Amino acid sequence: MEDRIVFIDNQPYELFRGDESAKLYEERCLPSADINDVVVTSLPINREYIAYLQTLGLKIECDFFTPQFFYKDLAYSILNDDRLLSILKRKVRESNYVIETFIPNRDLVTLSRYLNIPILFPQDIYDKYSSKIGFNKLAKILKLPHPDNVFFSHGNLCDYRHFIKRNQDVLLKKNNTIGSLGVYDISSNQILKKIVKQYPTDLFLLEKKIEAVWNGSIQFIFQNNNPRIFIDECSMDNNHFKGFKYPATFPEECHSKIKDYAELIASFLKQYFIRKGYFGLDFIVSNTNDIFFHDFNPRKTGVIYVLFFIEKLIGIIDNYNLKIASTFINLDYYNRKAIDFLTVITLLRRNKILFGQLSGYEGILLFNPNLLKMKILHVISLSQIDNEDIYIREVKKILSNQVNNLL
């Protein structure tokens, strides 16, 4: 019997302490949910978004739950909601359930034991290789090219001076960090000291900054130890992920090298016999077409959530010669007032640019509408005729011309 899933996209307080936006990303799991699955989120799922997904043909027939209060992170909040615990306990007795998450922590493990259902997560791989030191170990094992770096702590600050002098442009990264959290551009010893003093017990990595012509990542999706591989091109702004394109537009020589590395990494991961797991490996391509890997993410990534959404909608992506562009639009640029999902969907439907309003697999998909609370709109553009960038420009034009009038 196939497992049913309890989606608890936990973003651990230990990693996201002070990040009020973390809980806004939990709803990304929704398009992955099948009939009779369970989705637990810190905030209620937008009902207008559910209705929108249903117009696309997705059967959103799962059970939704939200803790009565939010504190620290989702797992902690569930554990401290006796009523929700009781409901989940009764629910998971009905069938074979597993927990799928973003990143587990101690509270999620406690919840798993209470519900007596396993967490599907490559914990062994995460523990070994998710940190910056862990990535260095992985790079050494697989002989992956990576930027010159050095590790240090507050107690041995002297170790970094020669490194900065030798490399000039460097990045400072906390050993345990997610995405752009805990990543800093360092231009002087004074700035470095100021940052490090804020975290006297942390371990840091200093990394030579490589000027990137292209940023990219390799995504691995494992099912019963069989990996699917996606190589995408990422857009970055000051170390922040701003979106991606698939397929990547790297020169063929680079793409071939990256593909070879991807096969090597997939072969390495297969030795762990992964029932179900998701992995991302970030890299830079320099102006000399050299490739430098710099971060390993043994978890679901922002790219993987989008790929799941699209494949749930149309099937295997590569069957359609499809181009994908996913991006975050800052709505502060267009309007100072808060914009809700109904406003956005009304505007785009009126201008007939949504997926399903155009012929073929063309148009704009809307994703993760809780981000509108931060005045960010996540759009995904699909095209078989190379119009994916045109559709995004059209969305920005629509927002610029009409949103103030509508409000």
Side-chain angles (χ1 to χ4, degrees):
M1 181 185 297
E2 187 172 347
D3 290 325
R4 291 176 180 172
I5 299 174
V6 180
F7 288 95
I8 302 175
D9 262 22
N10 188 53
Q11 307 214 25
Y13 178 73
E14 304 93 301
L15 292 172
F16 295 90
R17 186 191 309 266
D19 183 0
E20 286 298 315
S21 69
K23 59 181 176 287
L24 301 180
Y25 291 90
E26 293 168 3
E27 68 181 4
R28 293 181 297 182
C29 67
L30 180 56
S32 302
D34 287 319
I35 296 172
N36 294 320
D37 284 347
V38 176
V39 174
V40 188
T41 51
S42 300
L43 301 172
I45 300 288
N46 187 311
R47 292 289 163 178
E48 289 154 356
Y49 184 56
I50 293 174
Y52 161 69
L53 294 177
Q54 289 171 330
T55 66
L56 297 174
L58 297 183
K59 293 183 178 181
I60 310 298
E61 298 177 12
C62 44
D63 291 320
F64 299 100
F65 298 105
T66 302
Q68 293 181 17
F69 77 101
F70 179 85
Y71 182 63
K72 289 189 175 180
D73 57 34
L74 181 54
Y76 183 90
S77 302
I78 297 170
L79 275 180
N80 286 275
D81 187 334
D82 291 339
R83 179 177 174 275
L84 179 53
L85 280 175
S86 179
I87 292 171
L88 292 175
K89 185 78 168 179
R90 290 196 305 269
K91 180 67 182 174
V92 299
R93 288 177 185 151
E94 298 173 6
S95 187
N96 293 330
Y97 277 94
V98 298
I99 294 174
E100 195 167 298
T101 191
F102 182 65
I103 301 174
N105 62 352
R106 182 180 300 174
D107 287 326
L108 190 65
V109 171
T110 301
L111 178 60
S112 166
R113 290 171 180 163
Y114 175 81
L115 297 176
N116 195 30
I117 59 176
I119 301 171
L120 280 190
F121 189 83
Q123 191 67 54
D124 187 23
I125 300 174
Y126 185 87
D127 291 342
K128 286 182 178 178
Y129 303 119
S130 64
S131 67
K132 304 309 172 196
I133 282 183
F135 168 73
N136 266 28
K137 291 178 182 176
L138 181 67
K140 185 176 181 179
I141 291 169
L142 298 177
K143 295 182 172 57
L144 302 178
H146 60 283
D148 187 20
N149 60 44
V150 62
F151 287 91
F152 71 96
S153 63
H154 183 269
N156 62 339
L157 284 174
C158 59
D159 292 352
Y160 69 76
R161 293 191 179 94
H162 180 66
F163 185 87
I164 291 180
K165 185 176 181 180
R166 184 171 74 246
N167 290 292
Q168 296 182 338
D169 290 333
V170 299
L171 294 175
L172 176 70
K173 298 181 179 181
K174 295 174 73 173
N175 184 48
N176 290 295
T177 184
I178 299 292
S180 60
L181 294 175
V183 178
Y184 309 90
D185 273 293
I186 300 299
S187 56
S188 70
N189 289 339
Q190 288 72 26
I191 293 174
L192 180 61
K193 286 180 180 179
K194 184 178 179 180
I195 295 171
V196 172
K197 284 181 179 179
Q198 297 176 37
Y199 308 97
T201 62
D202 285 25
L203 183 65
F204 291 91
L205 168 77
L206 270 179
E207 181 178 274
K208 179 179 179 180
K209 187 174 181 180
I210 307 295
E211 289 302 322
V213 177
W214 292 280
N215 288 279
S217 67
I218 308 171
Q219 307 294 327
F220 304 87
I221 300 176
F222 274 76
Q223 187 77 36
N224 295 323
N225 213 40
N226 292 316
R228 296 179 62 205
I229 298 173
F230 300 84
I231 299 172
D232 62 278
E233 179 181 346
C234 299
S235 57
M236 306 293 291
D237 181 16
N238 194 27
N239 302 318
H240 289 262
F241 175 77
K242 293 298 181 182
F244 76 94
K245 287 185 176 183
Y246 179 81
T249 62
F250 311 128
E252 181 54 38
E253 174 191 356
C254 292
H255 197 277
S256 179
K257 289 179 183 177
I258 295 164
K259 187 176 179 182
D260 288 341
Y261 283 121
E263 296 290 347
L264 174 67
I265 297 157
S267 179
F268 173 79
L269 293 174
K270 285 180 71 173
Q271 71 179 321
Y272 285 87
F273 300 103
I274 301 160
R275 178 179 170 191
K276 191 175 186 180
Y278 316 101
F279 307 88
L281 185 66
D282 299 335
F283 61 84
I284 291 168
V285 180
S286 72
N287 58 5
T288 57
N289 286 349
D290 290 313
I291 299 160
F292 298 91
F293 294 94
H294 59 90
D295 280 301
F296 180 56
N297 302 303
R299 54 171 172 79
K300 286 187 281 189
T301 66
V303 176
I304 284 175
Y305 282 106
V306 171
L307 296 178
F308 273 146
F309 181 21
I310 296 169
E311 293 206 332
K312 191 74 175 292
L313 192 62
I314 68 171
I316 302 299
I317 289 169
D318 292 332
N319 289 347
Y320 300 94
N321 191 31
L322 191 67
K323 302 289 181 63
I324 303 167
S326 173
T327 193
F328 300 92
I329 299 174
N330 184 350
L331 295 180
D332 255 340
Y333 179 80
Y334 302 98
N335 192 282
R336 293 293 172 183
K337 299 178 183 179
I339 301 173
D340 61 22
F341 181 74
L342 185 58
T343 299
V344 172
I345 198 89
T346 299
L347 278 172
L348 300 189
R349 276 182 176 149
R350 182 180 296 172
N351 286 271
K352 300 187 186 313
I353 195 169
L354 291 173
F355 183 88
Q357 292 184 296
L358 303 169
S359 61
Y361 294 108
E362 302 288 320
I364 293 292
L365 293 167
L366 299 175
F367 195 51
N368 200 176
N370 256 332
L371 291 180
L372 289 169
K373 293 179 173 65
M374 296 171 57
K375 296 186 179 180
I376 294 173
L377 177 64
H378 188 176
V379 299
I380 305 164
S381 182
L382 307 183
S383 183
Q384 294 174 296
I385 54 175
D386 298 331
N387 277 355
E388 64 278 5
D389 291 331
I390 294 174
Y391 298 144
I392 290 176
R393 287 198 296 270
E394 186 64 21
V395 169
K396 292 179 179 179
K397 180 180 176 182
I398 291 166
L399 292 170
S400 180
N401 292 343
Q402 300 184 43
V403 76
N404 290 310
N405 294 333
L406 197 65
L407 292 170

